[in-house]
Amino acid sequence: SSQNLSEEFAEAARQLKKEAPRIQFGKIDVTHQHDLRKEFNIQAFPTVKFFVNGSREDPIDCKGVRKASAFITWVKRRTGPSTVLINSTDQAEAIIKAGDLAVIGFFRELHSDSVEVFCETARDVPEMPFGMTASEEVCANYGVQRNSLVVFKEGKPVHNEVLEDGRQSKLGLTRIIKTFTLDLVTEYNIETSVKIFDVPVENHILLFTPMNSETFNEIYENYQSAAAQFRGKMLFVLVDTDEARNGRIFEYFRIRDIDVPAVRILNLTSEARYKMPADEVTVENLKDFCQSYLHGKAKQHLPSEEIPQDWDKMPVKVLVGKNFNSVIF
């Protein structure tokens, strides 16, 4: 909420006043400052912008940061080095074991496009520690080929991304790294919904099923196997159809009790929806569905009532999803 963010913002300001007194914090109520709101194109509240070198031109947006600690890290990475330079295995271990997640870049040399993209990504993901190294000893210790980004979870490597100059973008790396803040499959509820939408993956696949059914374990295992194959490309969400509070999401997808288990894909940008053609939730069917969607071959799902028999008898025609396109366009 706005109130919480305001408190976290104030806490970050207090701490940074001691550590970095040259960074000033300010708060503006734009309800009375229409010119400022227009100049900086403020659409949503609260909005946090960072102005550099005394210029009001091109301030940097601080998005998705909700905690004082992450806020402080975000500011520090904007004003100083964005990653820790690692020279020894002990140093690497300290970073890897500091929290739940850590990201280490292993490089041949510390001046390349890949290093630049890695450092830019670190600036945008302040929730976790980032380190980079060109030390042969450190690379050998983890058995990692040079020019790789490795995500560590609970002290163990869980993902290795080979970095090639010009191939990766900051958004691509952010997407991969942030998916590890969620489980392979995330159950949808009030708490997780914020985290789900915080990960910049626009393709969401949702499994609608009662979690207390006899077939649930088998279906869930298949769903997890498919999730492992598409990590970073698609976000796998589980919706318990027995949970009354999930009613709005069923309505949105027009899921009825008789339909479950059901699998849908949602593109967050276009809001286009897709229905898995097969009824059985097998690894193979899930894989085919995801691949056909990612290759642009899946058909959009337009939930619709049947066309009424007398839809065109009167001067005002009756339209439903199934005849809308053909009549209008």
Side-chain angles (χ1 to χ4, degrees):
S1 73
S2 268
Q3 183 64 35
N4 282 354
L5 191 71
S6 195
E7 285 165 15
E8 295 289 334
F9 185 72
E11 178 54 37
R14 272 195 294 278
Q15 290 187 36
L16 278 168
K17 196 172 179 184
K18 296 177 207 133
E19 293 178 46
R22 66 197 182 86
I23 297 167
Q24 304 290 317
F25 279 72
K27 198 158 65 166
I28 298 170
D29 180 355
V30 287
T31 48
H32 308 299
Q33 305 279 346
H34 297 294
D35 293 351
L36 278 177
R37 184 173 179 175
K38 202 169 164 192
E39 181 185 347
F40 298 118
N41 190 24
I42 308 294
Q43 308 272 338
F45 301 103
T47 292
V48 177
K49 286 184 183 280
F50 188 47
F51 295 84
V52 185
N53 297 334
S55 165
R56 61 198 295 156
E57 300 295 315
D58 301 324
I60 304 160
D61 278 316
C62 179
K63 289 181 181 157
V65 179
R66 295 189 178 86
K67 291 267 177 280
S69 57
F71 204 68
I72 290 164
T73 305
W74 188 89
V75 171
K76 282 181 172 174
R77 289 182 186 176
R78 291 275 162 193
T79 53
S82 61
T83 68
V84 177
L85 188 56
I86 296 167
N87 294 314
S88 70
T89 302
D90 287 351
Q91 227 183 333
E93 281 297 293
I95 290 171
I96 290 162
K97 291 186 171 152
D100 185 33
L101 284 160
V103 182
I104 309 280
F106 297 86
F107 297 101
R108 270 188 217 98
E109 47 160 0
L110 294 176
H111 300 286
S112 66
D113 289 351
S114 292
V115 172
E116 191 56 40
V117 173
F118 181 79
C119 292
E120 281 175 14
T121 307
R123 280 189 200 107
D124 274 10
V125 188
E127 310 90 325
M128 56 186 86
F130 274 69
M132 64 178 183
T133 187
S135 151
E136 275 186 46
E137 178 226 332
V138 178
C139 294
N141 183 68
Y142 294 100
V144 174
Q145 294 295 316
R146 301 292 188 77
N147 285 14
S148 295
L149 175 156
V150 181
V151 180
F152 291 85
K153 189 163 187 165
E154 292 167 3
K156 295 182 183 72
V158 286
H159 182 79
N160 186 325
E161 184 76 11
V162 176
L163 300 175
E164 288 174 26
D165 280 1
R167 209 187 104 208
Q168 277 93 355
S169 66
K170 179 179 74 170
L171 181 65
L173 291 184
T174 303
R175 189 176 282 152
I176 289 161
I177 292 162
K178 279 207 168 194
T179 53
F180 289 95
T181 61
L182 295 170
D183 296 327
L184 257 183
V185 172
T186 305
E187 190 193 333
Y188 180 88
N189 57 40
I190 303 297
E191 290 76 43
T192 60
S193 62
V194 174
K195 278 176 121 181
I196 289 168
F197 293 111
D198 198 30
V199 174
V201 176
E202 64 173 356
N203 307 314
H204 288 197
I205 181 166
L206 300 97
L207 166 64
F208 294 84
T209 186
M211 284 173 69
N212 66 359
S213 75
E214 284 170 24
T215 53
F216 174 72
N217 286 348
E218 188 191 333
I219 289 171
Y220 185 67
E221 244 170 69
N222 293 344
Y223 197 59
Q224 272 202 313
S225 298
Q229 294 180 46
F230 292 93
R231 188 162 215 164
K233 294 190 184 96
M234 304 191 73
L235 211 71
F236 278 64
V237 178
L238 167 69
V239 184
D240 184 3
T241 53
D242 283 341
E243 173 53 74
R245 283 174 298 189
N246 290 338
R248 275 176 64 195
I249 199 167
F250 308 148
E251 273 170 40
Y252 180 73
F253 284 97
R254 300 271 177 99
I255 303 281
R256 297 188 303 276
D257 292 347
I258 50 166
D259 293 344
V260 298
V263 179
R264 300 283 188 274
I265 285 175
L266 170 65
N267 180 302
L268 290 195
T269 310
S270 66
E271 291 215 352
R273 287 168 274 177
Y274 303 81
K275 179 182 182 178
M276 185 164 81
D279 290 331
E280 300 265 308
V281 184
T282 63
V283 180
E284 207 51 46
N285 288 343
L286 287 163
K287 216 168 99 179
D288 290 348
F289 183 35
C290 291
Q291 271 166 350
S292 74
Y293 167 76
L294 291 169
H295 294 149
K297 294 194 173 110
K299 278 202 174 74
Q300 268 203 54
H301 177 55
L302 302 165
S304 172
E305 298 125 70
E306 291 306 312
I307 301 167
Q309 280 182 321
D310 56 355
W311 72 273
D312 63 344
K313 297 278 185 287
M314 306 296 280
V316 176
K317 311 298 176 200
V318 179
L319 300 177
V320 292
K322 281 182 182 168
N323 69 348
F324 187 89
N325 278 5
S326 57
V327 175
I328 300 297
F329 302 114

